[in-house]
Amino acid sequence: MPAIERRFAVGAEVVANRGVHFRVWAPDKSRVQVVIESSRSAMQWSLTEEEGGYWSGFVEHAKAGDRYRYKLDDSTMLYPDPASRFQPEGPHGPSQIVDATGFVWTDENWEGISHNRVIYEMHIGTFTAAGTYRAAIEELAELAELGVTVIEIMPLAEFDGKFSWGYDGVDIFAPCHHYGTPDDLRSFVNEAHRLGMAVILDVVYNHCGASGSYFRQFSRDYFSSKYKGDWGDVFNFDGDNSAAVREFICANAAYWVEEFHFDGFRLDATQQIFDESPQHILLDLLAAARRRANGRPLYVVAENEPQHSALVRSLEDGGFGLQGIVNDDFHHSAMVALKGHREAYFHDYLGRPQEFISAAKYGFLYQGQWYAWQKQNRGAPTYGVMQDAFIHFLQNHDQIANTGDGTRQDALAPPEMGLPVWHYEINGLVLEKRLFMPYQQNTVHVCYRVISATEPVRLELRPALHYRALDAAVDENPVAETDYVLSVREDYFKLTGGNFPPLYLKTHGGEATFTIDRRRSEDIFYRLESFRGYAAVGQYWTPGAFAMTLGTTGELTFTCSTEKPETLRLVAPEEAYELEVKRRFQLLAIAETPVDSGMPAELVLAADQFIVTPAGRAEEAARARASGEEVKTIIAGYHWFTDWGRDTMISLEGLTLSTGRHHEARYILRTFANYVKAGLIPNMFPEHDKTGLYHTADATLWFFHALSRYYRATGDRETLKTILPKLISIVDHHLQGTLFNIGVDPEDGLLRQGQEGYQLTWMDAKVGDWVVTPRRGKAVELNALWYNALCTLAAWLDDEDPAHAERLREHAQRARKSFNRRFWYEEGGYLYDVIDTPAGSDKACRPNQVFAISLDYPILDAERWESVMAVVEEKLLTPVGLRSLSQDHVDYKASYKGDLWTRDAAYHQGTVWGWLIGPFIDAWLKVHSGDLTGARRYLAGFEKHLGEAGLGSISEIFDAQPPFTPRGCIAQAWSVAEVLRCWKQCTAPD
């Protein structure tokens, strides 16, 4: 018979009107037969051995659709064709003969895509519910409308099992039977071309799947014995008998281009394609593919983790001539920017704007620099490579899989970014409500959107108003009904009442009507106020109602603000929302804490809520601006605290340093330094008051701690030198004695404090004239803080004034010696809470003793640490912090509820404080050095709590008994700060 002219080196090829020609490489075999299977019988034909280990033969009776397998030597086993064009029963079943010439193509005018490539990565099995080529075809028009110009189909090679990414394929010529027939795939490509989209195929030439692979039955030389791949057997491109393997792979690339009209390839993990031949296999397979493209441009891109830029350099420049390479650097930087995540291979990226600029201009960020995550240099120079050779992406299958559970970005970093969203479902209507407050504005936008409705929706909004001070009772009415005035000012409604700031109201998003309907509603019951023992029945006044018909898809935004309308007009609510979301993304990006979804990310956003610019302190603001600074402070808690010195200093590290907001930390420290008076910083700034109150013995000592942590994080010597004279003055005042009898006892060098009617430590509950926990005398934590302050200041003065530093250390050592002699409660194995009180030494077991271990300079002798921590863990530790008093004490209160007297009686008499988990973990790690995993388990209880009270934040206090009900402020600065700080501390460095 005449010679057969084959299109490809291997496989079963239909010869028009004559039969089928079979060719297979099996150099180790002495006999090869092809067995044609039918429903009634099986016929077999012996193939003829050719030079180079090939076996071939022509079978007249075979035709397209027939199924066949090979019989090797005298084995009773039958094997599918390694170059099978289709495996209708999977990789273990027979191969099927396919006639590609029977498909009618209509893309003869298709010229390919040479620019403006927008790539959509598609997994056929998951792209639609049906998971087939045919189902995917129905969605192609939508992709084209979206702006996609290139579809990258993930690997299609037949694999074992029902589900797969595609990277464990075994029959690399056979499109997976789960997705449809080969002609279905051709139809997919044909329709994509009709819609103006190119289609490239992800091909895996770096390894072969294990299960379902029969290559070794034909020849062991299909795979290399020289190289070991990361994922399985690697193809033999440069060893014995490698010429046929190279021909096999080149035929595969040419086959996809000729018989399926693919427009190119994504070459998977090219760094694992091992070949030391004079000409690399990539060059050969690309040449083979291009010959079959008949002049149509191919788009071939590489995945290459080491970032070898030679892949996209021209052949003339010694490169491989590929058109694109995946830029992982862009993705990694983007993920850090979006989520703040810097663990594992994100470690070496900052997510800063300059990284995006560099990626756009130069491609790879790493072009040979040291890459700490891999402990080696990474990348190669990209000079001379066109920018469009780099494929920038925000997510792909690899990065989704690397989350561990296949989570997409929209779930890892939800677009709401902690902003509240409600969905209401009523009789077929789904209405969405969003609420947000633009940064540094006294403005609230409430956005309503109809998600779905069966008929037009009419929305009516009635503002209910009660003008009163923040801390006023709900039954107070400082504005009489007749004093409310509603006026219209251009496109805003203006509402005034008494001496309060005017309130501006406006609707956005359509034509709304306003109906004047002035009324006062009485007997409004405030449940929580009743629970807390306050007046609980109030009233509100309303000027009328806004109304608007939204249709079945409309939306409306209601704005309420005390800002001037000129300010509000600058940014529309939709843009303001987008800007706020972007700002929150940026907060995550700059956070030094490596954050992902869950508690760490929520706490970074929660921390932002407490850092404020105080209003009403004009003199302070003017002074700060004159020196190029800003006035910043920290709100202690919501809803009723202002800024407190103690809370600010304890919170500063967690809220600012752990979140990368170093400049705001500097502003806060300098702000409080300006208020030092008689050796003290203010305890608090009352609402609407420009001057602080100074009744605190510990806030000033926490100032030393906060500054020390700031200096450690930033090395900002200038700020330290600016504040240093204030610190020296503070110590001098404490040595000499200052307000509220705060001063060092010359008898033992310990710090004492106390004045009738004042509560000077952090346990500061007071009702009327009753100081619940006066703690007058020498408090354990005050002396721990005093010793820490002396040692800290001495270290800073070593270079400035060594003699002064030495005097401070003498004071410190005297205090330490006295402390260890006088505070140790031998019978209990822990520390007295206060000594030298009017009633003697107080042996109440309280959490304050933890500070004797936890601070940078622990005052307690190390041999006593373990005993103290054992007692604290047994008697005080809970899942959400430490009890303020042990359960065996006569004054212990299990719950914090009732009227003000009852609540304050429990405030520091058992009630759990969340912030105390911070010093507990610090101290615990000193006893259990290096056990970060063990320490981190103490934070687990807070993760559940994030959904209990103030969503995404941590409460001020909790009941002392299970279920540890959250109480007090729903969002407390030092609670958030200490949990976030400890999360960072307990996360092992990469």
Side-chain angles (χ1 to χ4, degrees), residues 23 25 48-55:
R23 194 167 191 250
W25 187 60
T48 302
E49 185 175 10
E50 299 179 16
E51 185 179 350
Y54 286 100
W55 296 80

Side-chain angles (χ1 to χ4, degrees), residues 29-228:
K29 306 305 172 187
S30 58
R31 186 181 183 198
V32 176
Q33 294 174 294
V34 60
V35 179
I36 309 295
E37 303 178 9
S38 69
S39 59
R40 290 179 295 179
S41 62
M43 297 179 291
Q44 60 188 36
W45 283 264
S46 294
L47 301 185
T48 302
E49 185 175 10
E50 299 179 16
E51 185 179 350
Y54 286 100
W55 296 80
S56 65
F58 183 78
V59 180
E60 288 186 2
H61 301 289
K63 62 185 182 303
D66 285 349
R67 300 184 182 185
Y68 69 98
R69 286 187 267 202
Y70 287 115
K71 183 177 180 181
L72 306 176
D73 291 334
D74 296 324
S75 171
T76 59
M77 295 291 294
L78 299 178
Y79 300 103
D81 187 348
S84 169
R85 303 310 198 249
F86 191 46
Q87 292 293 121
E89 298 176 26
H92 302 290
S95 304
Q96 180 171 308
I97 299 169
V98 175
D99 184 4
T101 64
F103 183 82
V104 180
W105 291 93
T106 62
D107 66 348
E108 60 274 2
N109 295 322
W110 172 248
E111 297 180 351
I113 297 290
S114 59
H115 61 283
N116 295 333
R117 300 181 182 103
V118 178
I119 304 172
Y120 183 92
E121 185 179 54
M122 179 186 296
H123 185 282
I124 294 294
T126 61
F127 180 62
T128 63
T132 64
Y133 304 118
R134 288 289 177 186
I137 289 172
E138 300 301 316
E139 307 298 329
L140 290 179
E142 187 172 339
L143 290 182
E145 184 179 352
L146 183 65
V148 172
T149 63
V150 178
I151 298 173
E152 174 198 310
I153 298 182
M154 291 175 64
L156 297 176
E158 186 66 45
F159 57 84
D160 194 15
K162 191 173 181 180
F163 303 105
S164 171
W165 282 109
Y167 297 93
D168 53 357
V170 292
D171 295 301
I172 68 173
F173 283 79
C176 179
H177 77 284
H178 292 302
Y179 308 147
T181 69
D183 276 356
D184 290 341
L185 176 56
R186 293 183 179 94
S187 296
F188 177 95
V189 177
N190 195 51
E191 178 63 9
H193 287 171
R194 188 187 71 81
L195 293 168
M197 294 183 290
V199 185
I200 66 175
L201 178 64
D202 193 340
V203 289
V204 182
Y205 296 142
N206 54 68
H207 78 287
C208 178
S211 180
S213 171
Y214 294 99
F215 282 107
R216 290 188 183 277
Q217 277 66 32
F218 290 83
S219 176
R220 62 181 181 274
D221 289 334
Y222 267 107
F223 300 118
S224 174
S225 59
K226 181 179 178 181
Y227 308 105
K228 182 175 177 59

Side-chain angles (χ1 to χ4, degrees), residues 578-592:
E578 292 178 1
L579 291 172
E580 177 60 18
V581 169
K582 289 179 181 178
R583 191 184 72 85
R584 288 168 173 248
F585 272 124
Q586 186 62 20
L587 290 176
L588 294 180
I590 67 172
E592 291 189 349

